[in-house]
Amino acid sequence: MELRPRVEEFIEKVVDSYTDEEFRNNFRMNRRTFSAVLTLIAVKISTQDMDVGRHTIPAKAQLLIALWYFATPDSYRLVV
């Protein structure tokens, strides 16, 4: 299977530049609510520990991925 190139810094370059309407359309909540939820759960889903394997995805990215997945009818295969 051939690996496809990934978009580098997608959140920083694309998601962070979404208008408020685009953000709400993609993640089904406004940025303020997103920030509040992230503040509540970031410590629980973040870790700096790595014994083997890949580094943990940052909490912000984890939450954005989960919200996008919950907000769209696309399959899991399209998310990752």
Side-chain angles (χ1 to χ4, degrees):
M1 177 168 80
E2 184 179 331
L3 293 176
R4 295 183 182 173
R6 302 232 177 215
V7 177
E8 297 292 325
E9 299 177 4
F10 181 79
I11 291 172
E12 295 79 7
K13 292 180 179 176
V14 178
V15 175
D16 287 350
S17 68
Y18 282 168
T19 65
D20 290 339
E21 183 178 350
E22 289 172 320
F23 190 89
R24 184 166 174 74
N25 287 339
N26 282 290
F27 303 108
R28 303 296 190 255
M29 69 173 56
N30 64 42
R31 290 177 194 276
R32 204 167 164 190
T33 303
F34 175 83
S35 293
V37 171
L38 183 59
T39 299
L40 291 172
I41 67 169
V43 173
K44 303 265 187 208
I45 64 175
S46 297
T47 181
Q48 298 301 319
D49 298 335
M50 188 180 108
D51 292 330
V52 294
R54 297 181 180 179
H55 290 283
T56 304
I57 297 171
K60 180 179 178 180
Q62 289 184 57
L63 182 55
L64 287 169
I65 290 166
L67 291 173
W68 187 84
Y69 177 72
F70 298 146
T72 62
D74 293 334
S75 71
Y76 176 74
R77 177 174 271 176
L78 294 174
V79 174
V80 285

